[in-house]
Each structure stands twice: as C-alpha cells, then as structure tokens.
Amino acid sequence: MTAVVSGTQQRSSELFQRAESRTARNYKPLPVVIEHAEGAWMTDVDGTRYLDLLAGYSALNFGHGHPGLLRTAHEQLDKLTLTSRAFVHDQFADFCSELGDLCGKDLVLPMNTGAEAVETAIKVMRKWGYEIKGVTPNEANIVVAGGNFHGRTTTIVGFSDDPDAHNGFGPFAPGFRLVPFGDLDAVSAAIDENTVGVLMEPIQGEGGVVLPPDGFLEGLRRLCTERNVLWAADEIQAGLGRTGKTFACDHEGVVPDLYVLGKALGGGIVPVSAVVADREILGVLRPGQHGSTFGGNPLACAVGLEVVRMLATNQHQERAAELGVMMRERLEALVGNGVVAVRTRGLWAGVDIDPAIGTGREICEALMARGVLAKDTHGSTIRLAPPLVIEADDLAWGLDQLAEVVHGASDQD
Ligand SMILES: *Cc1c(COP(=O)(O)O)cnc(C)c1O
C-alpha cells in the first residue's frame, strides 16, 4: 500500500520534497502539504480535502480555526503580545485564576511547551522534597512508568524506555525509577524515604492510548497520600476534554497533586502549558528560581483563558463522550478483521493493526489516499484523536474509510 500522489498533487509533491531536503529528519511526515483548515477538515496546496483524525496530537481539540479562539487571538494580537513576566499584563490574573478554578487548585505556573511543564513539575517536586518533606539533599527520586512519554528534553528522554527517544542522547540526569505502567505494587516498592513524587500519564497517549487497569489511579492517589509523595499527572494529551471529561483522572474521581497541562490549552494557536497545584506545593518557588521569557505571555493567556472558559461549559467534554461511544462501537466491530485490539476513552483510541495486513504506517498511507489523516505510533498502532468538534457524519465516514482499508488489506492475504 502506498499513498497516491498523482499528477494533480504536483504542488504538494514539490513542496513536500523541498521541505524534506532542507529539514532535519526528526519526523517522517505523511506526504501531504496542508494549506488551510476549518473544523475537522484540512485542505492541501492542490485543493484536496482531508479529514483530520489526529488533531495535532490533541492540541487541536477544538478544531482548526475555532471562531471564538481566533477572534480572541486576533483581538489580543492587536493589543499586546509580550511583556515578559518582569511586568504584569491584563490577561494574567483571569487566566491563572480561571485555570486554577477549573483544576480546583490554588496556583498556576504557566510555561509554553509540554516538555517545559514536565520539567517544571520535576523541579517543583524536588524542591518540595528538600524543603517540605526533608529528603536527603540531592538524593531526590521520582517514580515514572514504562512506556512513558513526557517530552524531548535530555532529562525527560533519560527516563524514557523507548530506544528511539533515549538512545544516543546520554549522559542522563539520575533520580528516576522506572516501574511497569499500571502496577501499583511496583510503584509502592519503588518508593523510599527520598521519593518526592510519582510522574505519570493517567492514560499513555504516545504509548498507544494505553489505559491503566481499573482502580489504578485511585490506588495511586491513596498510595501517594499514605507515603507522603506528590503525584504529578501528565494530562498534556489526555486532559482538557479528550476523554469525555475535563481530565482523564476524573474517570476515577481522583485529583493529583500537580496537573501538568499543555497541547489543547493553547487552542491549537499558540504553545501554552502549565503546572497547576496548591500553594503548599507551588509555593516552594521564589523569585528567580524558575522562569520562561514567553511563559504566560498575553497572547497565550488570552487564548488559554478562552480555552478554559469553553471547558467550563462542559460542552466539549460531553461531545467527546457522546461521539466516543459511536467511535468505540465502530472500532470494536473491526477486531478480528485486520484489527487485533482497540482501546478507547472518550474520543481517543489506540487501534492495534494486525501486523499480517501491514504496518500502522501503511494503513495511514492508505487512509490518506482516501482523504483521512491519522498517525501511527509504535509500529502497529494507530492513534485516533479527532477534533472534539468533528461532525458525527464526518467521523462515521472517516471510520468507514478505516474499515474499508483494513478489510481490503485483510482480503488480499
Ligand atoms: C506531547 C506530550 C508532551 C510534550 O509536549 P511538547 O509540547 O511536545 O513538549 C508531554 N507529555 C505528554 C503526555 C504528551 O503527550
């Protein structure tokens, strides 16, 4: 199976090749060159339309060109874009207080990318450990999960067990303990007197939408409280509506000590990330001890505030839950027919393709030829994360394309 880039796709083909020849090859994009987009639909430079079933890895939860978000961004662009945190701007108070309220926490520390928010959470947990818990100076450790994805900094890839992410980038920062994801006994065994926190995704997105066993998050919450360690939930991909609730942790009714947020917080317009926690935790940072030139800038706060207000209505969460039922039913019908297994939560799915019918990449290329854009992860899994604003009919059509691709491929064998 290969994608059809026909003669009518001439500009796409030329721009694609030029881009590939002048960029580091740290990605392997599908051979499509997008020019504009609206809602769940993207259009390439040759006028071909594609349904977006990736949504910028969940950064575009509210779709492309959301009118309210665009209006907010345009208005803010005309007024003020950057002050640095040396001065306070007029969007800052509302963003921090309303995001804090959405999370049920006292304080917000805004950053830009997800990886920066994760680094921030690591620094905060360590400092809390030394100053509040009283762990041995420079001996703090943090428990993390196998199959994790928390970003691409040298510290973060140091505790990744994905060889592509990890190998060749050492030496790495010490102080992380890897345990199997979803294994509460292993977390418990890894905690000692110098453990300051547990850093985990409530659902592993990049790992292939891997769900922990039922009760794991609740157990983790209880364990962290009992052992006096902080739980930082990396909700960068799972949070902000994707799973049918505001946070993936909400599915077990648990509240982590630190929420680590990003992706959709910037509305698909600007990078906006944040760590959100109570005063006794984020309060350990004093002036000069952490920062970011662009973190919490006026444009980011204006857009982020609009995102928070949209989430406060619960409308997008409900839509994700509703459409998620349809998506799950249709995907489960494919199991045994080119699909080995399906995991879903809300409008988020990991679809394990039967290796006998092709790789995840090949299935994505065949989908592209039918006007559907999705992304494989870890060889044989396709992650589906449509914009939450997708029309039900469009989603059904996109899933029909997947069904036909996997059926067609399994018939050939
Ligand atoms: C994407 C992601 C990150 C990293 O975010 P960037 O903005 O790419 O740095 C961290 N954690 C999780 C769970 C993610 O999905």
Side-chain angles (χ1 to χ4, degrees):
M1 276 174 288
T2 49
V4 182
V5 181
S6 66
T8 59
Q9 295 295 101
Q10 217 163 10
R11 270 198 80 211
S12 284
S13 179
E14 188 225 313
L15 284 172
F16 181 80
Q17 262 137 41
R18 261 179 58 214
E20 286 292 279
S21 71
R22 296 305 301 269
T23 185
R25 303 294 295 272
N26 57 326
Y27 280 87
K28 190 177 179 225
L30 287 167
V32 60
V33 180
I34 304 300
E35 187 178 73
H36 60 97
E38 200 183 333
W41 288 93
M42 302 196 283
T43 307
D44 77 3
V45 289
D46 296 298
T48 305
R49 274 165 42 97
Y50 298 91
L51 186 65
D52 183 0
L53 294 190
L54 178 65
Y57 302 96
S58 288
L60 285 155
N61 276 2
F62 312 103
H64 297 270
H66 184 282
L69 290 172
L70 276 190
R71 194 181 326 114
T72 300
H74 282 137
E75 282 172 13
Q76 191 58 45
L77 268 176
D78 288 336
K79 283 196 295 193
L80 179 71
T81 54
L82 189 64
T83 54
S84 84
R85 295 278 309 276
F87 317 119
V88 180
H89 60 78
D90 68 344
Q91 302 296 306
F92 199 69
D94 284 345
F95 173 67
C96 292
S97 55
E98 292 188 33
L99 178 56
D101 289 349
L102 186 77
C103 299
K105 299 288 189 190
D106 300 334
L107 304 180
V108 169
L109 199 174
M111 299 294 282
N112 310 283
T113 65
E116 284 176 304
V118 171
E119 289 277 352
T120 300
I122 292 169
K123 288 172 74 174
V124 167
M125 288 193 288
R126 284 178 176 171
K127 204 148 194 301
W128 173 88
Y130 299 126
E131 293 184 2
I132 311 284
K133 183 173 177 178
V135 308
T136 314
N138 285 317
E139 293 295 331
N141 69 70
I142 293 172
V143 181
V144 296
N148 70 72
F149 182 84
H150 299 288
R152 300 293 195 168
T153 67
T154 49
T155 291
I156 292 170
V157 300
F159 58 82
S160 167
D161 58 357
D162 173 353
D164 283 337
H166 180 94
N167 293 351
F169 301 116
F172 298 118
F176 297 95
R177 298 180 169 182
L178 207 61
V179 300
F181 182 58
D183 184 341
L184 202 59
D185 292 338
V187 178
S188 178
I191 292 174
D192 66 14
E193 69 282 4
N194 286 328
T195 303
V196 296
V198 174
L199 169 66
M200 279 183 199
E201 303 154 85
I203 295 172
Q204 294 186 324
E206 193 69 24
V209 191
V210 180
L211 308 171
D214 285 345
F216 174 73
L217 299 178
E218 234 187 303
L220 187 61
R221 173 66 281 177
R222 209 175 319 114
L223 180 66
C224 287
T225 303
E226 279 167 13
R227 306 286 290 275
N228 192 28
V229 304
L230 301 176
W231 173 25
D234 182 345
E235 292 255 11
I236 289 171
Q237 195 168 152
L240 308 185
R242 172 56 54 193
T243 66
K245 295 194 182 283
T246 305
F247 302 109
C249 288
D250 295 343
H251 288 276
E252 293 200 6
V254 292
V255 177
D257 298 298
L258 299 92
Y259 282 107
V260 187
L261 305 174
K263 291 201 165 95
L265 191 56
I269 299 176
V270 277
V272 184
S273 67
V275 173
V276 187
D278 280 336
R279 199 173 299 280
E280 68 246 36
I281 297 167
L282 275 180
V284 299
L285 291 179
R286 285 173 288 277
Q289 296 177 345
H290 190 57
S292 161
T293 305
F294 286 90
N297 70 72
L299 184 59
C301 287
V303 171
L305 175 61
E306 188 63 26
V307 166
V308 169
R309 287 181 175 168
M310 283 162 56
L311 288 167
T313 70
N314 211 38
Q315 175 199 334
H316 291 277
Q317 294 90 319
E318 281 167 13
R319 193 169 168 76
E322 210 176 281
L323 291 176
V325 173
M326 184 253 274
M327 184 163 82
R328 184 178 63 227
E329 281 168 2
R330 283 170 171 256
L331 290 175
E332 281 176 351
L334 303 180
V335 175
N337 212 333
V339 169
V340 178
V342 169
R343 296 167 297 280
T344 72
R345 179 124 323 151
L347 203 52
W348 207 20
V351 182
D352 295 342
I353 301 297
D354 184 347
I357 71 157
T359 62
R361 172 75 183 195
E362 285 165 338
I363 298 298
C364 288
E365 286 172 351
L367 283 172
M368 181 188 148
R370 290 168 169 268
V372 174
L373 294 178
K375 176 75 173 72
D376 54 301
T377 179
H378 292 101
S380 56
T381 300
I382 297 176
R383 166 183 26 190
L384 299 179
L388 309 183
V389 299
I390 192 171
E391 296 293 337
D393 289 349
D394 291 339
L395 177 60
W397 176 83
L399 296 171
D400 284 345
Q401 303 313 303
L402 176 63
E404 287 178 28
V405 164
V406 296
H407 285 168
S410 45
D411 287 348
Q412 282 163 19
D413 292 347

